[in-house]
Amino acid sequence: MIFGFLKPPPLSPRLHRLRESDLLNTLTPLELKIVDGLMHERRYLAGEIIFDEGEEGQALYLVTAGHVQISRTINGAPEILTELSPGAFFGDLALLDNSPRNAQARAWDNCELAVFFRADFMSLMETDAVIGYKISLALARHIASMLRGAMDPARPPAGAL
């Protein structure tokens, strides 16, 4: 093939996992690689707290392996809101502001997360507006979906973190 050098390199297994997320599925392979370079990999043991309700939000988390349980204290008792599996992300409001977390995130089983800190996201917005736009649009769609769900009386509210 004469122009084989123009073909994008194959995606690594990690990049494939990131691309499965609604947050990053519109990125090109090169854009995905740039974002991956900004993300930090974290591993949590089953039952380990990722963050607590009331903590300052500093990062978005993307589940790459395992499961995460989101719970909130309601009437003095913890109540499980949802369980997230690979491809899901949470803590999305932390990319937009530094308000306190409104729920607790805990590893349901051993899990791996890709962590995207607000400072890195803000830098990305300044240096690569196209990638920043794509991620911001995915965040807006996700938050809109959660708001619609919160207004549906048949669905229990999950809330953004």
Side-chain angles (χ1 to χ4, degrees):
M1 175 192 253
I2 296 173
F3 295 107
F5 64 92
L6 294 176
K7 184 178 177 186
L11 293 177
S12 69
R14 176 177 160 86
L15 291 180
H16 273 294
R17 287 193 304 269
L18 293 177
R19 187 171 223 177
E20 291 172 359
S21 168
D22 288 342
L23 181 68
L24 305 174
N25 65 6
T26 60
L27 300 182
T28 67
L30 179 59
E31 292 169 338
L32 197 58
K33 217 170 193 179
I34 290 168
V35 171
D36 182 44
L38 298 172
M39 294 185 134
H40 303 268
E41 188 172 308
R42 298 285 190 267
R43 289 185 170 88
Y44 293 88
L45 298 174
E48 193 173 353
I49 294 173
I50 299 163
F51 58 74
D52 261 323
E53 188 173 352
E55 283 182 12
E56 179 185 342
Q58 298 178 5
L60 172 143
Y61 296 80
L62 193 144
V63 182
T64 57
H67 298 85
V68 172
Q69 192 175 68
I70 306 297
S71 63
R72 173 188 269 171
T73 302
I74 299 175
N75 297 325
E79 186 174 316
I80 296 169
L81 300 175
T82 191
E83 184 180 306
L84 304 172
S85 42
F89 60 94
F90 60 98
D92 37 299
L93 292 182
L95 289 188
L96 306 174
D97 65 15
N98 60 351
S99 60
R101 302 283 190 184
N102 63 11
Q104 180 190 75
R106 180 186 297 265
W108 175 252
D109 51 15
N110 293 345
C111 63
E112 293 178 18
L113 306 175
V115 184
F116 198 15
F117 288 96
R118 181 183 331 106
D120 293 329
F121 178 65
M122 293 303 174
S123 292
L124 178 67
M125 295 280 286
E126 292 176 12
T127 59
D128 197 320
V130 172
I131 298 174
Y133 163 78
K134 288 179 178 182
I135 293 173
S136 296
L137 184 60
L139 283 171
R141 287 180 174 151
H142 177 72
I143 292 168
S145 172
M146 292 175 71
L147 284 172
R148 280 189 207 96
M151 290 189 272
D152 181 357
R155 278 181 51 186
L161 308 172

